[in-house]
Amino acid sequence: MDVKGVTGMVEGLKARSEGDDDVGAKITAAAAWEMCKECIQTLPTGAKILNLPLSLLPSIHALSLSKLRHLTALLSRTRGNLVCVPLYSSLSTTYTLSVLMDTHYGKGKTDHSKLEEAVTVMQDVFSKSLNDRTEYGKGEIGEGGSKKVLVLRTVNLLFKSYFRLNTLRLCKNISRPVTARNLHNPSNPPLGGTGEILTYFYYTGRVAMFEDNLIEAEEYLNKAYLG
């Protein structure tokens, strides 16, 4: 499918997903995402998303953010943690697209409105996954699994966002619960595996440096770099 066809499909889905605050309708709109799989799969993913044509960026960003919101709504409406798998990639994609939107369409270097919008959704994901009552085991995915497997991925993206937004004072709000519930324990790997734990150590070390806590910073950064 050519760029014109992709744009038409994206704009159509964007229109379907906007302007309706009913949760049921949003989930229906989320199902509409599946209808355009063939179309969306023709677009770059992962690191290749950086090469998206700028003309497509606003539409793809709007659709990605809409999908993230739909999946976030499902966090509190579904049993188990199967929804965490698509959320894992949707969080990363929306973060990247939001940064690109602010870079290419923002009103200046200090305009982070799209990232701030994404952060609001990420914070909701963090709250819902952290407060899941299912006991956290060893990162199993299934109908009996805990949504806490998504906490570290969300925290790491929030860390990245807070550094970019220069709101490091908020980092403690998300790191304290992780430490208190021992969610960074390598014996209970989260979704994404050990890499998410090491990334968490890296950002925790950077936050400690910002607070002039050099001993703690050295401890966490050593854990991050030495694995």
Side-chain angles (χ1 to χ4, degrees):
M1 184 176 292
D2 59 17
V3 171
K4 183 178 179 181
V6 170
T7 304
M9 177 69 80
V10 168
E11 290 293 352
L13 287 172
K14 177 184 173 184
R16 290 183 61 177
S17 62
E18 289 181 340
D20 196 331
D21 293 329
D22 179 72
V23 174
K26 287 187 176 181
I27 293 176
T28 301
W33 169 270
E34 299 300 323
M35 296 170 57
C36 71
K37 266 188 176 180
E38 181 181 352
C39 166
I40 297 302
Q41 285 172 354
T42 66
L43 296 174
T45 57
K48 293 182 180 179
I49 206 169
L50 298 174
N51 297 321
L52 271 174
L54 289 182
S55 60
L56 283 179
L57 188 56
S59 297
I60 296 296
H61 168 263
L63 184 58
S64 179
L65 184 61
S66 177
K67 178 187 177 184
L68 179 60
R69 284 175 171 151
H70 301 155
L71 291 171
T72 302
L74 288 175
L75 266 178
S76 57
R77 294 169 59 90
T78 56
R79 295 181 57 187
N81 58 9
L82 291 171
V83 70
C84 293
V85 177
L87 257 172
Y88 182 89
S89 60
S90 184
L91 284 164
S92 302
T93 300
T94 303
Y95 168 84
T96 303
L97 288 169
S98 298
V99 172
L100 288 173
M101 280 293 294
D102 288 332
T103 300
H104 295 289
Y105 289 93
K107 298 179 180 179
K109 292 184 178 180
T110 58
D111 183 2
H112 301 293
S113 57
K114 297 302 182 183
L115 180 57
E116 289 170 348
E117 189 177 11
V119 163
T120 300
V121 185
M122 291 182 200
Q123 290 170 334
D124 192 21
V125 174
F126 169 72
S127 177
K128 288 179 177 178
S129 56
L130 179 70
N131 294 319
D132 182 35
R133 295 182 179 181
T134 304
E135 184 178 355
Y136 184 53
K138 295 185 178 181
E140 301 93 343
I141 300 297
E143 294 185 357
S146 172
K147 296 181 177 71
K148 293 185 181 71
V149 296
L150 192 62
V151 168
L152 273 194
R153 182 54 174 167
T154 311
V155 166
N156 288 337
L157 286 172
L158 284 171
F159 274 146
K160 290 178 69 174
S161 301
Y162 292 158
F163 271 92
R164 182 173 286 272
L165 297 172
N166 196 26
T167 53
L168 298 186
R169 67 186 185 280
L170 299 176
C171 290
K172 287 295 184 182
N173 295 341
I174 57 178
S175 62
R176 286 196 189 101
V178 172
T179 303
R181 305 189 189 197
N182 200 28
L183 297 178
H184 57 328
N185 188 338
S187 64
N188 293 324
L191 197 62
T194 305
E196 294 296 344
I197 297 175
L198 298 181
T199 302
Y200 173 78
F201 288 153
Y202 167 72
Y203 279 111
T204 304
R206 287 187 62 185
V207 172
M209 288 184 64
F210 171 76
E211 297 174 341
D212 292 327
N213 191 341
L214 300 184
I215 295 178
E216 182 177 320
E218 182 179 15
E219 175 187 352
Y220 278 112
L221 290 174
N222 277 335
K223 287 181 179 180
Y225 285 114
L226 300 178

